[in-house]
Amino acid sequence: MQKQIYISILSILGVFQLGISQEKDKNDIGTETVTVTKAYTPTISDAFKIKSLPNMNDSIVLQKKKIKYSIFSIPVASTFTPAKGKATEVQKAKPEKLYNSYLALGLGNYNNAMLDFYTSRALNRDERLDIGLNHFSSRGDIDGTILDNDFYNTKLDASYSKRDRDVSWGTNIGLQHQIYNWYGVPEGVYPDAVVASIDGKQNYYNAELGANVKVEDALFKSADLLLRRFWDVTDSGENRLKFQPVFEFPLTDQALTISGNFDYVGGAFKNANVNNSNNTGEINYSHFQVGVSPSLLIVTDDVRINLGANLVYGMNTENSDSNFYIYPAVTASYRILDENLIAYGGIEGDLKQNSFHDFVGDNPFVSPTLAITPTDKQYDAYIGLKGMLLPSLSYNIKGSYTAENRKPLFKLNPSNDFRNDEKGYYFGNSFEVFYDDVKTLGIFGELNLDINRNFSLGINAEVYDYDTETDNPAWNLPNMTGSLFMDYQIDEHWYMGANIFYVGEREDLSSQVVQNVMPSQFPSTLITLDAYFDANAHMGYRFNDQFSIFLKLSNIANNDYQRWANYPVQGFQVLAGFKYKFDF
């Protein structure tokens, strides 16, 4: 069989060669003879291997002679003693002892007095009780005022919290008492007898109860509850109920969060608006909001986007009026260069629930005759850049544009010679809330320097431009604000800090009530309040972990400025005291 295969192959090659020869010379066909004798059968023979170490048996080869070595030791005297090695130790900072309580007391000029007490007690591994008491008061006279200008603010807070494996909850109670005086009556405007008869003291009282709960690994995530009663010495009173639950629904890679909001505020003022010549009829208000805010958070390595909306149904139950509002709630950020450059922006809106309590917190000199209505914040659009210029230097730049309907502005109440209320707030020495539709353009910039844990420095500024629907100025809103702050831990014992605030010019209106005339037609004078700086500093010395002393300086430049029209502030103030930590 093998022979036949070889014959076939040789035949094909012969034919192929014949074809080539014919192609070269078709006229010369030639002849070839192929003789096959036997197929080739190769074989492999064993090779003779040479030993790697052949035996050498030769008389010429010399035999190796065995050599023996010996060491003759001679002792040598030496005084060298090697030092033992020792590992370098890391200097450990002395752990700071923690105490569960502290007490701070301070006294200063203008008869200023300060008390601050706090204690936190662990009832057991999962339960804790916190109690805090704060007091600050002043009974000093301010130059240029003809009425008492003392004030008093005392607040007591207590909270209880309990933490379990999957649920943590807590409750808190707060009580507060404040005393202020409507002392903003200019000199020489009213006769001495009238001034002597003015009772300008106002008392505010606040009592609130709160509760909160947080749940792990459940659709229901958390809830906050607030109950508040706020009232004053003129029989004005307000109730507030606020409940905010939060639900979270997991999706493939993101989570859908739905926040609810149930907000009620209602109250009554015994006295009529100061623009009325007669104090007849009280002011009642009642507002209820129901809101739902769904949001979807999308997070990647460099991008963070929160897509949401705010749906609110607002009801004015006192006037049987209601409206439905839809607001955007979209925020985003993008890391352009890691932590060095981050772009962010957003557009948000809300129906803000205003209240007598909040207005007093912003301006304690308001009259108890306010109109309370919510603010329709249509949108607040902003875009900015933030990041790190250096490892210890951060920055933030932002531009914003806000549109608000019924934005509350504080404006001087007119002088009303026709009123004879129980309290003296109708001499042009109190403020009303004036609602206006305002569009605000703002530019904000900030720098923060944190060299180490012992030193930090920051500066920020913001410029505003207002456009009002009534073409009036944006009453008592500054065109520029700024601040500078510094904290420095000098050594283990000494520390210090400082801050400077700047507030630009504001405008207000002084007017006089005229019977049977609309408030917009009252005789009035535009007031421009000057811009001002307020420089403050503090320093202290720690004797040990428990006891330290401090010194606070306020209005160091002794500027005689007015935060509100006709209300000058205290001059240079010094407050010194001590702070003591202990276990209670």
Side-chain angles (χ1 to χ4, degrees):
M1 181 67 181
Q2 187 176 12
K3 181 177 180 180
Q4 294 177 355
I5 293 174
Y6 278 110
I7 295 174
S8 301
I9 293 174
L10 293 175
S11 302
I12 294 172
L13 292 175
V15 174
F16 181 74
Q17 183 66 28
L18 179 62
I20 294 176
S21 301
Q22 292 177 353
E23 186 70 19
K24 290 181 179 179
D25 189 0
K26 296 182 179 180
N27 298 323
D28 183 11
I29 59 177
T31 59
E32 288 190 18
T33 302
V34 178
T35 304
V36 178
T37 58
K38 183 180 179 182
Y40 177 67
T41 56
T43 60
I44 299 176
S45 300
D46 291 335
F48 176 75
K49 297 182 180 179
I50 301 175
K51 294 182 179 180
S52 59
L53 292 175
N55 293 328
M56 299 182 68
N57 188 8
D58 196 331
S59 60
I60 301 177
V61 178
L62 300 177
Q63 298 293 327
K64 293 181 179 179
K65 187 176 181 180
K66 294 182 180 180
I67 300 175
K68 294 183 180 181
Y69 297 93
S70 61
I71 299 174
F72 180 67
S73 300
I74 300 176
V76 178
S78 175
T79 59
F80 174 74
T81 302
K84 296 181 179 180
K86 185 178 180 181
T88 303
E89 296 181 354
V90 178
Q91 296 294 331
K92 296 181 180 179
K94 183 180 178 181
E96 182 180 358
K97 176 164 177 59
L98 301 178
Y99 300 91
N100 64 9
S101 307
Y102 74 84
L103 173 67
L105 291 172
L107 296 173
N109 61 336
Y110 291 98
N111 291 322
N112 293 347
M114 182 271 290
L115 167 67
D116 192 5
F117 169 76
Y118 175 78
T119 183
S120 178
R121 296 181 59 85
L123 304 179
N124 53 48
R125 183 178 178 181
D126 302 321
E127 298 176 277
R128 179 171 294 277
L129 178 65
D130 299 317
I131 299 175
L133 175 64
N134 306 98
H135 170 83
F136 188 75
S137 62
S138 175
R139 299 185 181 278
D141 293 331
I142 301 176
D143 294 337
T145 61
I146 56 179
L147 296 178
D148 292 338
N149 49 70
D150 55 308
F151 67 88
Y152 170 103
N153 188 354
T154 301
K155 187 175 183 180
L156 174 65
D157 291 298
S159 64
Y160 167 82
S161 60
K162 180 176 175 59
R163 181 182 297 273
D164 293 328
R165 180 178 179 181
D166 298 323
V167 179
S168 61
W169 63 275
T171 183
N172 64 278
I173 185 173
L175 302 172
Q176 186 177 16
H177 178 209
Q178 302 175 80
I179 297 177
Y180 287 93
N181 280 271
W182 290 294
Y183 65 87
V185 177
E187 289 185 279
V189 177
Y190 294 97
D192 294 341
V194 175
V195 173
S197 65
I198 297 176
D199 181 7
K201 179 173 290 188
Q202 169 68 297
N203 286 262
Y204 297 112
Y205 305 92
N206 182 61
E208 60 183 49
L209 175 66
N212 63 84
V213 62
K214 293 183 179 180
V215 183
E216 300 291 339
D217 300 328
L219 297 181
F220 173 71
K221 301 302 294 182
S222 64
D224 291 285
L225 175 67
L226 172 66
L227 295 171
R228 176 190 293 141
R229 172 65 180 176
F230 184 74
W231 70 101
D232 68 1
V233 73
T234 65
D235 296 331
S236 303
E238 179 182 80
N239 299 315
R240 183 80 179 267
L241 170 62
K242 194 172 184 179
F243 178 63
Q244 294 177 308
V246 178
F247 299 87
E248 187 175 280
F249 301 91
L251 301 178
T252 53
D253 297 326
Q254 293 83 25
L256 176 64
T257 302
I258 299 180
S259 303
N261 182 40
F262 302 88
D263 194 347
Y264 168 80
V265 62
F269 296 103
K270 178 182 177 181
N271 300 284
N273 194 294
V274 180
N275 289 284
N276 298 339
S277 57
N278 297 319
N279 188 11
T280 57
E282 62 180 18
I283 302 173
N284 297 300
Y285 59 95
S286 178
H287 300 279
F288 181 60
Q289 296 179 10
V290 178
V292 177
S293 301
S295 64
L296 179 65
L297 181 61
I298 302 174
V299 180
T300 63
D301 293 339
D302 298 320
V303 179
R304 182 184 180 92
I305 302 175
N306 191 3
L307 302 175
N310 190 8
L311 313 177
V312 183
Y313 183 68
M315 293 172 282
N316 185 342
T317 56
E318 184 68 27
N319 298 325
S320 301
D321 187 20
S322 62
N323 285 286
F324 182 71
Y325 304 86
I326 301 178
Y327 300 101
V330 179
T331 62
S333 65
Y334 175 59
R335 297 177 183 270
I336 301 175
L337 294 173
D338 290 333
E339 299 296 329
N340 297 325
L341 182 60
I342 301 175
Y344 67 94
I347 178 169
E348 303 174 271
D350 192 14
L351 184 64
K352 181 182 178 182
Q353 189 81 287
N354 295 313
S355 66
F356 183 35
H357 171 271
D358 294 342
F359 286 148
V360 169
D362 295 334
N363 183 353
F365 307 111
V366 293
S367 63
T369 60
L370 304 179
I372 306 294
T373 189
T375 297
D376 175 19
K377 189 175 183 178
Q378 294 181 315
Y379 57 86
D380 178 12
Y382 57 91
I383 186 171
L385 293 173
K386 61 182 180 179
M388 305 292 294
L389 294 175
L390 297 172
S392 59
L393 181 62
S394 63
Y395 67 94
N396 186 10
I397 303 173
K398 182 179 72 171
S400 63
Y401 187 76
T402 307
E404 298 171 279
N405 293 332
R406 303 186 302 273
K407 180 179 177 64
L409 306 172
F410 295 111
K411 186 171 74 71
L412 271 175
N413 273 316
S415 300
N416 193 333
D417 298 334
F418 307 99
R419 296 284 284 264
N420 189 22
D421 299 8
E422 180 181 355
K423 293 291 183 178
Y425 51 80
Y426 47 88
F427 296 92
N429 58 335
S430 65
F431 293 84
E432 65 174 320
V433 174
F434 180 85
Y435 293 95
D436 202 346
D437 296 345
V438 182
K439 292 180 174 60
T440 307
L441 176 65
I443 299 176
F444 172 81
E446 180 181 42
L447 286 174
N448 288 290
L449 178 65
D450 293 313
I451 297 179
N452 50 43
R453 295 178 58 185
N454 298 327
F455 182 82
S456 61
L457 177 68
I459 184 173
N460 62 68
E462 189 162 10
V463 179
Y464 306 94
D465 182 69
Y466 306 101
D467 181 18
T468 63
E469 182 69 19
T470 61
D471 292 330
N472 292 318
W475 305 118
N476 278 293
L477 291 182
N479 53 12
M480 182 178 180
T481 61
S483 64
L484 172 67
F485 61 88
M486 182 269 291
D487 284 299
Y488 181 35
Q489 182 69 44
I490 302 174
D491 57 24
E492 182 181 356
H493 300 286
W494 288 98
Y495 65 91
M496 65 172 296
N499 55 70
I500 301 175
F501 300 98
Y502 172 80
V503 178
E505 291 185 348
R506 291 92 60 219
E507 294 178 299
D508 208 328
L509 191 70
S510 175
S511 59
Q512 177 74 37
V513 172
V514 178
Q515 286 184 318
N516 301 322
V517 174
M518 294 294 294
S520 59
Q521 302 299 320
F522 290 164
S524 58
T525 302
L526 186 66
I527 301 174
T528 299
L529 300 176
D530 294 334
Y532 65 87
F533 280 97
D534 192 340
N536 309 278
H538 68 272
M539 64 182 303
Y541 182 83
R542 296 185 179 95
F543 291 93
N544 49 47
D545 291 339
Q546 291 185 265
F547 188 74
S548 62
I549 59 176
F550 64 85
L551 178 68
K552 294 184 178 180
L553 308 177
S554 302
N555 196 4
I556 297 175
N558 197 29
N559 288 332
D560 184 20
Y561 66 86
Q562 297 182 12
R563 173 64 184 90
W564 305 102
N566 301 328
Y567 281 87
V569 300
Q570 293 179 348
F572 178 55
Q573 305 157 49
V574 179
L575 183 72
F578 71 90
K579 185 175 182 179
Y580 179 66
K581 300 178 183 179
F582 59 96
D583 285 325
F584 178 68

